[in-house]
């Protein structure tokens, strides 16, 4: 998600300033990705108790995605909103980091759910 967010940040939004602080987004997206995997695997383990969805893997995974999609969307949306709140600061390095981190989180959610 980092390369796609970088493209979005520099080409689409045409932001020229790329702070070294933006590299910390790698650790943030790794933590959120680990949280998403935890939620996904928990739902996958819960699905074994629903005999009606154990017919095939496609049905089971569809159930898991529907069950976890909302939770992952809420956590990603609140994290994006928190990073976008950095736009109120007058420090350009903090603004740049907030925009980039929000882009990384948004792209990460899109890639996880597709």
């Amino acid at each position: 998600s980092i390369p796609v967010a970088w493209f979005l940040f520099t080409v689409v939004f045409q932001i020229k300033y790329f702070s070294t602080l933006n590299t910390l987004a790698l650790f943030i997206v790794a933590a959120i990705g680990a949280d998403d995997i935890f939620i996904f695997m928990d739902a996958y383990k819960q699905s074994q108790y629903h005999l009606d969805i154990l017919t095939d893997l496609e049905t089971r995974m569809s159930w898991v995605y529907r069950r976890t999609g909302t939770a992952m969307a809420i956590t990603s949306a609140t994290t994006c909103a928190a990073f976008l709140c950095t736009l109120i600061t007058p420090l350009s390095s903090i603004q740049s980091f907030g925009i980039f981190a929000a882009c990384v989180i948004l792209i990460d959610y899109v890639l996880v759910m597709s």
Side-chain angles (χ1 to χ4, degrees):
S1 64
I2 299 253
V4 177
W6 178 79
F7 176 80
L8 189 69
F9 184 79
T10 58
V11 176
V12 177
F13 295 148
Q14 297 182 351
I15 300 173
K16 303 293 183 214
Y17 183 73
F18 193 83
S19 172
T20 55
L21 188 61
N22 292 3
T23 58
L24 293 177
L26 177 66
F27 299 105
I28 294 168
V29 77
I32 291 175
D35 181 52
D36 289 348
I37 290 171
F38 175 74
I39 293 169
F40 192 84
M41 289 306 297
D42 186 52
Y44 185 80
K45 289 177 184 175
Q46 288 177 8
S47 68
Q48 71 183 345
Y49 301 111
H50 298 273
L51 300 177
D52 55 328
I53 61 170
L54 292 176
T55 56
D56 61 347
L57 184 61
E58 183 178 345
T59 306
R60 188 175 185 181
M61 293 305 286
S62 174
W63 184 86
V64 170
Y65 269 102
R66 281 185 276 120
R67 183 158 174 96
T68 61
T70 306
M72 286 191 256
I74 290 170
T75 58
S76 296
T78 55
T79 307
C80 274
F83 281 121
L84 289 175
C85 286
T86 63
L87 291 174
I88 64 172
T89 185
L91 304 171
S92 60
S93 61
I94 303 296
Q95 289 178 342
S96 172
F97 172 70
I99 294 169
F100 184 71
C103 289
V104 168
I105 301 305
L106 177 68
I107 298 301
D108 182 55
Y109 175 73
V110 168
L111 291 176
V112 164
M113 293 308 288
S114 60

